[in-house]
Amino acid sequence: MILKELFKGLPYTLPEAGPLEITDIVYDSRKVTPGCLFVCLRGAAVDGHTFALQAAQQGAAAILAEEPLKVPVPVIVADNTRKALAEVSAAFFGHPAEQLQVIGLTGTKGKTTTAWMIRSILEKAGHKTGLIGTIGTVIGDQILKTNNTTPESYEMQHYLRMMVDAGCDTVVIEASSIGLKAHRTDGMTFDYGLFSNFSHDHIGGNEHKDMEEYLQCKQLLFRQCKTGIVNVDDPSWERIVEGHTCTLETYGFREGVDFQGSNAHLLRHPGYLGVGFTLTHKGQSTSVQVGIPGKFSVYNALAAIAVCSHFGVTEKDINDGLDAVKVKGRVEIVPTGGDYTLLIDYAHNALSMENILTTLREYHPNRLVVLFGAGGNRPKVRRFEMGEVCGRLADLSVITADNSRDEDVMDIIADIQVGMDKTDGASVVVPDRREAIRYCIEHAEPGDIIVLAGKGHEDYQEIKGVKYPFDEREIVAEILKEAKTKGEQPNGNDS
């Protein structure tokens, strides 16, 4: 693409130069290729401006920077190169968002599950729907791994182009506060923006300096979408939509909302944990069933229904989509053939652990057993808090490894036990996570609910800088197969 075409309609001054062909856009100096536009991004540890000369010497045709540079190629100066990267990336890939219905989700909890609910309903209604989020980028049956919940803008636009080329007509994007802050979703307009909830998270380090900044970043979605859909049961909703430029719709349990939930109740039968509720919209009521446990699933389902209502979906599409939706690593039930329930969940901090354990306690299990560890190279206070929460809410805690990274797993476990010792909760320590899973299965009692917490959708364990293959679904299957080979039969049927 010619440089002038790439910047057409954008508020940047181009240097005097003849027709200059741009072959790609690159923001990592290690990936510079001849003819590319090199974009200088300022990061927490590295400033891309220091690599501009190197990029030019390696063949970059032009540089996009936040200041004039002495390099032997044209330099385009922008106030914010992250924003400019998003804009030129959209142009480079032919503005693919304009050929899709684009749905953006923001909120502290529930983005991933709600995104998959939306996708499931829309797919049932015949919409080929892509998804970009925590679990990766989904195009048809293909899942592409991504480094961030909301990828960098260049990757974002590339994925959108792939979706259009694959015949998608809709995309669901998890718009994280970090992604919004870093302009990763700039360069396009969301048709629908959704707010789920707001609570303490992502504060400190390279994330947000305080809760106010965290909230302000979430506000950005509602200045970048046409229709905003918000959970008015969350006490922060009015702050979230301050300065919005979109039409607003509401959902929740209170009277007067556009999509109202009521009569939420838990559902449990062999191999199934779910929730049912009544949906009221425009004076019409209908019963809805969701194949994901917990009353919080009602809020996620209300949000999904509110979005999908704009796509002409039927009541059958909604019920079929919500009943069939399975989200990898989010209260994901794994069949065992035993008369206990085993599930995998991504809960990896005190807040998410308290949410999942409190939810599962409502199903009145014989015992609530939680297997968990804590990440290395992370604040110790998180370990204390997790230990205390699990000791208080679980009948048995099986303490083991997670991603220990550069730390010794026994040091991490010792920190967890500091919190555990503040409670009367029972616990055992099995440092090897595979053996800890085996312990849970071999010691399961009828009616137990067992949670393998922390890994969720991850299929690896990170130890001393190396990521080793570790998919808990596969490990459970292997352990059950070994037991069957030895003639050990699991108890009855799943409950």
Side-chain angles (χ1 to χ4, degrees), residues 4 15 128 171 192 205 317 359 363 373 382 450 480 485 489:
K4 288 185 178 179
K128 187 168 183 180
V171 60
Y192 305 96
D317 296 330
T359 292
Y363 285 86
R382 296 185 183 180
I450 301 170
L480 293 172
T485 301
Q489 295 297 324

Side-chain angles (χ1 to χ4, degrees), residues 357-407:
L357 295 181
T358 300
T359 292
L360 295 175
R361 177 64 68 191
E362 293 177 341
Y363 285 86
H364 303 294
N366 171 52
R367 294 186 308 166
L368 180 55
V369 179
V370 58
L371 175 151
F372 75 103
N377 302 3
R378 299 291 187 271
K380 288 190 175 185
V381 67
R382 296 185 183 180
R383 305 168 191 176
F384 305 153
E385 292 171 347
M386 288 174 67
E388 187 170 354
V389 166
C390 292
R392 176 166 49 85
L393 294 176
D395 295 301
L396 175 64
S397 296
V398 180
I399 308 173
T400 187
D402 198 297
N403 294 321
S404 55
R405 299 185 177 91
D406 297 324
E407 293 191 64

Side-chain angles (χ1 to χ4, degrees), residues 336 340 438 441-442 475-491:
T336 65
Y340 59 92
R438 186 190 305 277
I441 292 174
E442 291 180 349
I475 290 167
V476 168
E478 290 167 4
I479 292 170
L480 293 172
K481 184 177 180 180
E482 290 170 9
K484 187 175 182 180
T485 301
K486 294 176 182 177
E488 302 169 3
Q489 295 297 324
N491 303 321

Side-chain angles (χ1 to χ4, degrees), residues 2-4 14-20 61 73-74:
I2 301 299
L3 182 68
K4 288 185 178 179
L14 300 185
E16 292 295 331
L20 193 60
V73 296

Side-chain angles (χ1 to χ4, degrees), residues 11-299:
Y12 307 111
T13 302
L14 300 185
E16 292 295 331
L20 193 60
E21 181 72 25
I22 299 298
T23 58
D24 200 358
I25 300 172
V26 174
Y27 57 89
D28 184 337
S29 61
R30 296 166 296 184
K31 298 179 180 179
V32 169
T33 55
C36 73
L37 170 68
F38 179 69
V39 183
C40 303
L41 300 181
R42 299 187 196 276
V46 178
D47 184 351
H49 292 77
T50 61
F51 297 98
L53 178 59
Q54 174 187 324
Q57 292 171 340
Q58 291 176 341
I63 307 291
L64 178 58
E66 292 181 356
E67 60 190 49
L69 298 171
K70 292 184 179 180
V71 293
V73 296
V75 176
I76 302 95
V77 178
D79 291 337
N80 187 314
T81 50
R82 289 190 178 276
K83 179 177 178 61
L85 172 62
E87 294 168 335
V88 297
S89 295
F92 185 77
F93 287 106
H95 298 283
E98 294 179 1
Q99 301 169 64
L100 296 162
Q101 289 283 297
V102 184
I103 303 162
L105 287 69
T106 198
T108 304
K109 302 184 294 291
K111 291 191 299 295
T112 299
T113 300
T114 305
W116 282 81
M117 285 179 171
I118 293 170
R119 181 176 185 269
S120 184
I121 294 170
L122 292 180
E123 291 267 324
K124 292 292 183 183
H127 292 276
K128 187 168 183 180
T129 305
L131 189 151
I132 299 174
T134 304
I135 294 175
T137 292
V138 183
I139 307 173
D141 296 329
Q142 184 181 20
I143 300 181
L144 307 173
K145 290 187 178 182
T146 52
N147 293 326
N148 302 300
T149 294
T150 309
E152 189 55 78
S153 57
Y154 174 87
E155 282 73 29
M156 174 78 73
Q157 296 296 331
H158 188 192
Y159 294 140
L160 295 179
R161 170 46 56 193
M162 291 173 65
M163 291 175 186
V164 170
D165 292 346
C168 292
D169 56 55
T170 308
V171 60
V172 188
I173 299 171
E174 292 184 47
S176 69
S177 56
I178 300 298
L180 291 164
K181 176 183 177 181
H183 300 279
R184 295 174 191 164
T185 62
D186 283 19
M188 62 182 180
T189 299
F190 290 92
D191 294 283
Y192 305 96
L194 174 68
F195 165 68
S196 58
N197 51 67
F198 182 75
S199 58
H200 191 279
D201 204 359
H202 304 296
I203 307 301
N206 296 328
E207 295 185 299
H208 299 291
K209 64 180 181 180
D210 53 33
M211 288 291 285
E212 182 62 23
E213 183 192 276
Y214 181 34
L215 185 145
Q216 289 175 356
C217 289
K218 293 200 172 296
Q219 291 175 337
L220 297 174
L221 179 61
F222 300 96
R223 301 165 193 173
Q224 196 182 337
C225 70
K226 298 174 183 177
T227 300
I229 300 169
V230 297
N231 171 16
V232 295
D233 288 351
D234 188 277
S236 298
W237 80 270
E238 291 180 299
R239 288 289 322 279
I240 292 290
V241 299
E242 280 181 6
H244 72 85
T245 57
C246 58
T247 300
L248 288 180
E249 295 179 357
T250 58
Y251 70 94
F253 276 75
R254 69 169 66 177
E255 294 287 337
V257 296
D258 296 309
F259 296 84
Q260 183 187 23
S262 61
N263 188 34
H265 53 282
L266 303 179
L267 301 170
R268 182 180 185 183
H269 55 78
Y272 186 93
L273 293 178
V275 64
F277 67 97
T278 300
L279 166 71
T280 302
H281 174 56
K282 293 184 177 179
Q284 300 295 316
S285 295
T286 184
S287 295
V288 179
Q289 181 170 314
V290 185
I292 298 176
K295 289 184 178 177
F296 61 84
S297 295
V298 176
Y299 276 105

